[in-house]
Coordinates of all heavy atoms in Angstrom, one line a residue:
F647 N -4.9 -8.0 -4.6 CA -3.6 -7.6 -4.0 C -3.9 -7.5 -2.5 O -4.9 -6.8 -2.1 CB -3.2 -6.2 -4.5 CG -2.8 -6.3 -6.0 CD1 -3.7 -6.2 -7.0 CD2 -1.4 -6.5 -6.3 CE1 -3.3 -6.2 -8.3 CE2 -1.0 -6.5 -7.6 CZ -2.0 -6.4 -8.6
Y648 N -3.1 -8.1 -1.7 CA -3.2 -8.2 -0.2 C -2.1 -7.4 0.5 O -1.0 -7.3 0.0 CB -3.2 -9.6 0.2 CG -4.4 -10.5 -0.2 CD1 -4.4 -11.0 -1.5 CD2 -5.5 -10.7 0.6 CE1 -5.4 -11.8 -2.0 CE2 -6.6 -11.4 0.1 CZ -6.5 -12.0 -1.1 OH -7.6 -12.7 -1.6
C649 N -2.4 -7.0 1.7 CA -1.4 -6.4 2.6 C -0.4 -7.5 3.0 O -0.8 -8.6 3.5 CB -2.0 -5.8 3.8 SG -0.8 -5.1 5.0
V650 N 0.9 -7.3 2.8 CA 1.9 -8.2 3.3 C 2.0 -8.4 4.8 O 2.2 -9.4 5.3 CB 3.3 -7.8 2.7 CG1 4.4 -8.6 3.4 CG2 3.4 -8.0 1.2
G651 N 1.6 -7.3 5.5 CA 1.6 -7.3 6.9 C 0.6 -8.1 7.6 O 0.8 -8.6 8.7
C652 N -0.6 -8.2 7.0 CA -1.7 -8.9 7.7 C -2.7 -9.6 6.8 O -3.7 -10.2 7.3 CB -2.5 -7.8 8.5 SG -3.5 -6.7 7.5
D653 N -2.4 -9.7 5.5 CA -3.2 -10.5 4.5 C -4.6 -9.9 4.3 O -5.5 -10.6 3.8 CB -3.3 -11.9 4.9 CG -2.0 -12.6 4.9 OD1 -1.2 -12.3 4.0 OD2 -1.7 -13.5 5.8
Q654 N -4.8 -8.6 4.6 CA -6.1 -8.0 4.3 C -6.2 -7.7 2.8 O -5.2 -7.2 2.2 CB -6.2 -6.7 5.1 CG -7.4 -5.9 4.6 CD -8.0 -5.0 5.6 OE1 -8.9 -5.5 6.3 NE2 -7.6 -3.8 5.7
P655 N -7.3 -8.1 2.1 CA -7.5 -7.7 0.7 C -7.5 -6.2 0.6 O -8.3 -5.5 1.4 CB -8.8 -8.3 0.3 CG -9.3 -9.1 1.5 CD -8.4 -8.8 2.7
L656 N -6.7 -5.6 -0.3 CA -6.6 -4.2 -0.4 C -7.2 -3.6 -1.7 O -7.9 -2.7 -1.8 CB -5.2 -3.7 -0.3 CG -4.5 -4.0 1.1 CD1 -3.0 -3.6 1.0 CD2 -5.2 -3.2 2.2
F657 N -6.8 -4.3 -2.8 CA -7.2 -3.8 -4.2 C -7.5 -5.0 -5.1 O -6.8 -6.1 -5.0 CB -6.0 -3.1 -4.8 CG -5.6 -1.8 -4.1 CD1 -4.5 -1.8 -3.2 CD2 -6.3 -0.6 -4.2 CE1 -4.2 -0.7 -2.5 CE2 -6.0 0.5 -3.5 CZ -4.9 0.5 -2.7
E658 N -8.5 -4.8 -5.9 CA -8.8 -5.8 -7.0 C -8.1 -5.4 -8.3 O -8.0 -4.2 -8.6 CB -10.3 -5.8 -7.2 CG -11.1 -6.3 -6.0 CD -10.8 -7.7 -5.6 OE1 -10.5 -8.6 -6.5 OE2 -10.9 -8.1 -4.4
S659 N -7.6 -6.4 -9.0 CA -6.8 -6.1 -10.2 C -7.6 -5.3 -11.3 O -7.0 -4.6 -12.0 CB -6.2 -7.3 -10.8 OG -7.2 -8.2 -11.2
K660 N -8.9 -5.5 -11.3 CA -9.7 -4.8 -12.3 C -9.6 -3.2 -12.1 O -10.0 -2.5 -13.0 CB -11.1 -5.2 -12.3 CG -11.9 -5.0 -11.0 CD -13.3 -5.6 -11.0 CE -13.9 -5.4 -9.6 NZ -15.1 -6.2 -9.5
L661 N -9.2 -2.8 -10.9 CA -9.1 -1.3 -10.7 C -7.6 -0.9 -10.7 O -7.3 0.3 -10.3 CB -9.7 -1.0 -9.3 CG -11.2 -1.3 -9.3 CD1 -11.8 -1.0 -7.9 CD2 -12.0 -0.5 -10.4
K662 N -6.7 -1.7 -11.2 CA -5.3 -1.3 -11.4 C -5.1 -0.7 -12.7 O -5.8 -1.1 -13.7 CB -4.4 -2.6 -11.3 CG -2.9 -2.3 -11.3 CD -2.2 -3.6 -11.1 CE -0.7 -3.4 -11.0 NZ -0.1 -3.2 -12.3
F663 N -4.3 0.3 -12.8 CA -4.0 1.0 -14.1 C -2.6 1.4 -14.2 O -1.9 1.5 -13.2 CB -5.0 2.2 -14.3 CG -4.8 3.3 -13.4 CD1 -4.0 4.4 -13.7 CD2 -5.4 3.3 -12.2 CE1 -3.8 5.5 -12.8 CE2 -5.3 4.4 -11.3 CZ -4.4 5.5 -11.6
E664 N -2.1 1.7 -15.4 CA -0.8 2.1 -15.6 C -0.7 3.6 -15.5 O -1.3 4.3 -16.4 CB -0.3 1.7 -17.0 CG 1.1 2.1 -17.4 CD 2.1 1.8 -16.3 OE1 2.3 0.6 -16.0 OE2 2.8 2.7 -15.8
S665 N -0.1 4.1 -14.5 CA 0.0 5.6 -14.3 C 1.3 6.2 -14.8 O 1.3 7.4 -14.9 CB -0.1 5.9 -12.8 OG 1.1 5.3 -12.1
G666 N 2.2 5.4 -15.1 CA 3.5 5.9 -15.6 C 4.4 6.4 -14.5 O 5.4 7.1 -14.8
T667 N 4.0 6.2 -13.3 CA 4.8 6.7 -12.1 C 5.9 5.8 -11.7 O 6.8 6.2 -11.0 CB 3.9 7.0 -10.9 OG1 3.3 5.7 -10.5 CG2 2.8 8.0 -11.3
G668 N 5.8 4.5 -12.0 CA 6.8 3.5 -11.5 C 6.3 2.7 -10.3 O 7.1 1.9 -9.8
W669 N 5.1 3.0 -9.9 CA 4.5 2.2 -8.7 C 3.1 1.7 -9.2 O 2.4 2.3 -10.0 CB 4.3 3.1 -7.5 CG 5.6 3.5 -6.9 CD1 6.4 2.8 -6.0 CD2 6.3 4.8 -7.1 NE1 7.5 3.5 -5.6 CE2 7.5 4.7 -6.3 CE3 6.0 5.9 -7.8 CZ2 8.4 5.8 -6.2 CZ3 7.0 6.9 -7.8 CH2 8.1 6.9 -7.0
P670 N 2.7 0.5 -8.6 CA 1.4 0.0 -8.9 C 0.4 1.1 -8.5 O 0.5 1.7 -7.4 CB 1.3 -1.2 -8.0 CG 2.7 -1.7 -7.8 CD 3.5 -0.4 -7.7
S671 N -0.6 1.3 -9.4 CA -1.6 2.4 -9.1 C -3.0 1.8 -9.3 O -3.3 1.0 -10.2 CB -1.4 3.5 -10.1 OG -0.2 4.2 -9.9
F672 N -3.9 2.2 -8.4 CA -5.3 1.7 -8.4 C -6.2 2.9 -8.2 O -5.8 3.9 -7.6 CB -5.5 0.8 -7.2 CG -4.5 -0.4 -7.2 CD1 -3.3 -0.2 -6.6 CD2 -4.8 -1.6 -7.7 CE1 -2.4 -1.3 -6.5 CE2 -4.0 -2.7 -7.7 CZ -2.7 -2.5 -7.1
N673 N -7.4 2.8 -8.7 CA -8.3 4.0 -8.5 C -9.4 3.8 -7.5 O -10.2 4.7 -7.2 CB -8.9 4.5 -9.8 CG -9.9 3.5 -10.5 OD1 -10.1 2.4 -10.0 ND2 -10.4 3.9 -11.7
D674 N -9.4 2.6 -6.8 CA -10.3 2.5 -5.6 C -9.9 1.2 -4.9 O -9.6 0.2 -5.5 CB -11.7 2.3 -6.1 CG -12.8 2.8 -5.2 OD1 -12.4 3.5 -4.2 OD2 -13.9 2.6 -5.4
P675 N -9.8 1.3 -3.5 CA -9.5 0.1 -2.7 C -10.7 -0.7 -2.4 O -11.8 -0.3 -2.6 CB -8.9 0.7 -1.5 CG -9.6 2.0 -1.3 CD -9.9 2.5 -2.7
V676 N -10.5 -1.9 -1.9 CA -11.6 -2.7 -1.3 C -12.2 -1.9 -0.2 O -11.4 -1.3 0.6 CB -11.0 -4.1 -0.8 CG1 -12.1 -4.8 0.0 CG2 -10.5 -4.9 -2.0
A677 N -13.5 -1.8 -0.1 CA -14.2 -1.0 0.9 C -13.7 -1.3 2.3 O -13.6 -2.5 2.7 CB -15.7 -1.2 0.8
G678 N -13.3 -0.3 3.0 CA -12.9 -0.4 4.4 C -11.5 -0.9 4.6 O -11.1 -1.0 5.8
S679 N -10.7 -1.1 3.6 CA -9.4 -1.7 3.7 C -8.3 -0.7 4.0 O -7.2 -1.0 4.5 CB -9.0 -2.6 2.5 OG -8.9 -1.8 1.4
I680 N -8.5 0.6 3.6 CA -7.5 1.6 3.6 C -8.0 2.8 4.5 O -9.2 3.1 4.4 CB -7.3 2.2 2.2 CG1 -6.8 1.1 1.2 CG2 -6.3 3.3 2.2 CD1 -5.4 0.6 1.3
E681 N -7.1 3.3 5.3 CA -7.3 4.5 6.0 C -6.3 5.6 5.5 O -5.2 5.2 5.0 CB -7.2 4.3 7.5 CG -8.3 3.4 8.1 CD -8.1 3.2 9.6 OE1 -7.1 3.5 10.1 OE2 -9.1 2.6 10.2
T682 N -6.6 6.8 5.7 CA -5.6 7.9 5.3 C -5.3 8.8 6.4 O -6.1 9.0 7.4 CB -6.2 8.7 4.1 OG1 -7.4 9.3 4.5 CG2 -6.5 7.8 2.9
T683 N -4.1 9.4 6.3 CA -3.7 10.5 7.2 C -3.0 11.6 6.4 O -2.6 11.3 5.2 CB -2.7 10.0 8.3 OG1 -1.6 9.3 7.6 CG2 -3.4 9.0 9.2
V684 N -2.8 12.7 6.9 CA -2.1 13.8 6.3 C -0.6 13.6 6.5 O -0.2 13.3 7.6 CB -2.5 15.2 6.8 CG1 -1.7 16.3 6.2 CG2 -4.0 15.4 6.5
D685 N 0.2 13.6 5.4 CA 1.6 13.4 5.4 C 2.3 14.8 5.1 O 2.1 15.2 4.0 CB 2.0 12.3 4.5 CG 3.5 12.1 4.3 OD1 4.3 12.8 5.0 OD2 3.9 11.2 3.5

Side-chain angles (χ1 to χ4, degrees):
F647 293 86
Y648 294 84
C649 175
V650 168
C652 69
D653 296 322
Q654 168 151 274
L656 298 173
F657 299 98
E658 296 297 330
S659 62
K660 65 185 174 192
L661 297 176
K662 184 176 185 282
F663 65 94
E664 178 53 57
S665 65
T667 62
W669 291 279
S671 297
F672 305 85
N673 65 3
D674 210 12
V676 171
S679 67
I680 302 284
E681 293 179 347
T682 61
T683 55
V684 175
D685 176 359

